[in-house]
Amino acid sequence: MAVDLQNLAYALVQLVHNFGAVAVTGSAAAAWWADGPPPALRGLAWLALAGWALQAASGAGFGVVSYAWYGRFPELHGIAVAALVVKMVCTVSGFLLAAAYLRFAHGWQERRRRGAWRALFALAATALSAAAFLRWFA
């Protein structure tokens, strides 16, 4: 049984991307509904930060695999381009918000901390939704 290395490379990148999506969505959902002061939620904030970093790295990984096999990046048009931009904005915003939470949340009011987790969840859900459009319109 021969293994198609290109498909294997895409599958491995997708695997990392999927776990990043689980990390950003699950950490935000768990923290949003959890009770506790910022120190109790720091682990979830680190998980969110790592998840957003995985999303960025693996998202770039898709382009790297395409470039390695075809000598160019995938051609995207219309809805696929818009979906990619949405995913990139969510990723940068989610990473920055998780980093801000880790650095500053100890001084935030409870309402602001909960708002940060709601925003992180919304960013994760939006990125997941955009992924479906990127996949099917690419």
Side-chain angles (χ1 to χ4, degrees):
M1 175 173 85
V3 174
D4 179 352
L5 291 179
Q6 179 188 15
N7 283 337
L8 178 61
Y10 277 124
L12 292 173
V13 171
Q14 185 68 58
L15 178 71
V16 172
H17 206 64
N18 289 354
F19 278 106
V22 168
V24 299
T25 306
S27 63
W32 182 4
W33 287 291
D35 283 328
L41 301 177
R42 282 185 68 78
L44 290 172
W46 279 110
L47 182 59
L49 186 70
W52 287 115
L54 283 175
Q55 289 290 275
S58 58
F62 288 119
V64 168
V65 172
S66 291
Y67 196 82
W69 259 269
Y70 299 113
R72 61 184 168 82
F73 295 111
E75 290 185 30
L76 301 177
H77 304 285
I79 291 172
V81 171
L84 180 59
V85 169
V86 167
K87 284 178 60 72
M88 291 169 71
V89 167
C90 288
T91 300
V92 170
S93 300
F95 184 88
L96 292 174
L97 183 53
Y101 185 94
L102 285 164
R103 176 68 177 95
F104 302 112
H106 65 277
W108 293 351
Q109 297 294 324
E110 176 66 17
R111 181 175 177 192
R112 188 172 191 183
R113 288 192 302 267
R114 288 211 178 268
W117 288 113
R118 281 191 287 277
L120 283 166
F121 185 80
L123 289 167
T126 301
L128 278 171
S129 300
F133 286 88
L134 177 58
R135 171 68 178 94
W136 292 107
F137 284 91

